[in-house]
Amino acid sequence: MIKSRFKELSKSIIQLTAAAALATSASSVIAADKPGEGVEVTPIFPSIAEERFRGEIAIAGLQELGYEVEEPKETEYATMMLALSYGDADFTVHLWDKLHDTFYKKAGGDDTMVKAGDVIPGVLQGYLIDKKTADAHNITSLEDLKKPEIAKLFDADGDGKADLTGCNPGWGCELVIDHHIDAYGLGDTVNHNRGSYFALMADTITRYNEGKPILYYTWVPQWISGVLVEDKDVVWLEVPKTDLPDGNNDVNTSFNGKNLGFAVDKIMSVVNKDFAEENPAATKLLSLVQISASDESAQNLKMQDGEKSADDIKRHAQEWIKANRGTYDSWLDEARAAAN
């Protein structure tokens, strides 16, 4: 009888041990699959709806890794860098490497932040005019606007000066445009109109549709390039020489043989340094997230066509993930491996 009870006790111990081992194994699988379980993450993005798409792709990946992602904070670029530096936010996918270099360095730079990866390589900025006016008057360079008779073609308010649809204060591009106007001697013939960029561009597009000349600054990727198509509707203007506010004029500012005056740039993910060290899986994922300029431009065009709510943008991100699932899963696998 004692022997029988001992066998039963031994059997129970073996079963309990096996169950515990299975539970431990299952827990280990869950931990490996979701290394961010229980960790809160605070994104910070610029307050530009057209740039939210790439952020939603990054957020979805972090959530698949188990991270609890809070609603993103929104602010201007310089403040965004300060928030990341001070730990008030954990990551962004919106740093223009060259354009925002001053913001990055002044906020602490590599001492407090990590440039994790290239989210969109090969982004462009510059000045464009409608092709009809360019061809009719042989306008190829921004410097052509020094001629009063050329500048007057783009006069929208009757003061005799060309009206350049420019850049929002705080974006960084407004500083380059103002510098260019001085550097190229355009102060007497060109007005830099700044404010709500997309509202100004809506007026610019209306003018184009009315057959009037237009002059504007833009960047790619963005929906405007899908409405005013390069070499069909509009053409890039060259600048006479590279001349940037920070004096770093050795950077590449050329595209298709034209000097556009702005550094050919890339948009990067940036992570708070302490967060990066404590969360290798998140940092690895953010180093791998990458979309093409054409993908973001196409999504922006959907927004311009009316699909612009927060839910629409999240749906666009999920559609992109579904279409690129193999690549996306490889990012997640590498992130999980980094956690181990």
Side-chain angles (χ1 to χ4, degrees):
M1 185 173 178
I2 294 174
K3 188 175 181 180
S4 175
R5 286 183 178 178
F6 179 77
K7 285 183 177 180
E8 289 176 4
L9 181 60
S10 297
K11 185 177 180 181
S12 297
I13 291 171
I14 290 169
Q15 288 173 338
L16 287 170
T17 302
L22 284 171
T24 300
S25 177
S27 177
S28 297
V29 168
I30 292 171
D33 191 53
K34 295 187 178 295
E37 195 78 58
V39 179
E40 292 185 355
V41 182
T42 303
I44 189 163
F45 301 157
S47 50
I48 305 170
E50 286 77 7
E51 297 195 356
R52 184 65 175 258
F53 172 61
R54 72 186 87 124
E56 291 296 344
I57 291 172
I59 286 171
L62 289 170
Q63 290 172 332
E64 288 201 39
L65 293 173
Y67 290 95
E68 298 174 17
V69 185
E70 298 179 354
E71 182 64 21
K73 296 180 178 182
E74 293 188 353
T75 186
E76 299 298 341
Y77 293 100
T79 309
M80 189 166 65
M81 290 299 103
L82 287 170
L84 287 169
S85 180
Y86 295 150
D88 295 329
D90 298 315
F91 84 93
T92 191
V93 286
H94 294 89
L95 176 79
W96 288 60
D97 187 42
K98 300 290 194 303
L99 181 64
H100 299 146
D101 187 53
T102 300
F103 298 159
Y104 179 78
K105 287 179 177 175
K106 284 187 175 180
D110 296 339
D111 290 337
T112 56
M113 294 173 282
V114 174
K115 290 182 177 179
D118 301 345
V119 182
I120 306 180
V123 291
L124 303 174
Q125 303 172 80
Y127 308 101
L128 296 100
I129 63 171
D130 62 287
K131 191 173 188 301
K132 182 177 74 172
T133 304
D135 291 344
H137 297 273
N138 194 30
I139 304 169
T140 60
S141 170
L142 194 66
E143 199 171 32
D144 291 333
L145 295 167
K146 289 172 72 173
K147 304 170 187 175
E149 66 274 18
I150 296 296
K152 194 172 182 179
L153 295 170
F154 303 96
D155 179 14
D157 59 10
D159 67 354
K161 298 173 76 172
D163 286 289
L164 167 65
T165 301
C167 189
N168 281 38
W171 285 6
C173 39
E174 83 282 6
L175 304 176
V176 181
I177 296 171
D178 286 344
H179 179 80
H180 282 168
I181 288 174
D182 288 339
Y184 305 139
L186 300 170
D188 293 333
T189 55
V190 177
N191 285 324
H192 175 195
N193 296 334
R194 71 196 82 198
S196 177
Y197 177 78
F198 292 106
L200 292 172
M201 279 307 303
D203 291 340
T204 302
I205 292 168
T206 297
R207 284 178 58 81
Y208 175 78
N209 291 334
E210 293 172 348
K212 298 174 181 176
I214 57 170
L215 166 66
Y216 64 99
Y217 156 89
T218 199
W219 69 95
V220 179
Q222 207 224 105
W223 63 265
I224 287 168
S225 63
V227 175
L228 298 172
V229 179
E230 179 191 346
D231 292 333
K232 175 178 173 287
D233 303 310
V234 295
V235 294
W236 293 102
L237 290 180
E238 293 189 84
V239 298
K241 62 177 181 177
T242 301
D243 196 324
L244 295 168
D246 62 4
N248 182 18
N249 297 324
D250 294 328
V251 298
N252 177 29
T253 56
S254 293
F255 172 70
N256 285 348
K258 287 186 175 182
N259 186 344
L260 303 186
F262 290 79
V264 175
D265 217 330
K266 57 184 177 180
I267 297 172
M268 304 193 72
S269 54
V270 180
V271 185
N272 169 271
K273 195 167 188 177
D274 290 340
F275 178 86
E277 291 172 355
E278 294 166 7
N279 296 277
T283 305
K284 185 64 177 180
L285 176 71
L286 293 168
S287 76
L288 296 169
V289 169
Q290 186 175 103
I291 65 174
S292 68
S294 59
D295 282 350
E296 181 149 301
S297 290
Q299 186 275 337
N300 277 194
L301 193 54
K302 290 180 182 179
M303 293 177 66
Q304 178 63 13
D305 290 339
E307 299 179 25
K308 56 186 178 182
S309 71
D311 287 341
D312 285 332
I313 298 170
K314 288 180 180 179
R315 175 171 52 79
H316 296 158
Q318 288 300 323
E319 289 169 352
W320 186 94
I321 291 168
K322 183 178 180 181
N324 296 273
R325 193 71 226 191
T327 299
Y328 199 76
D329 283 343
S330 73
W331 297 345
L332 295 173
D333 288 344
E334 288 193 47
R336 291 177 181 120
N340 296 321

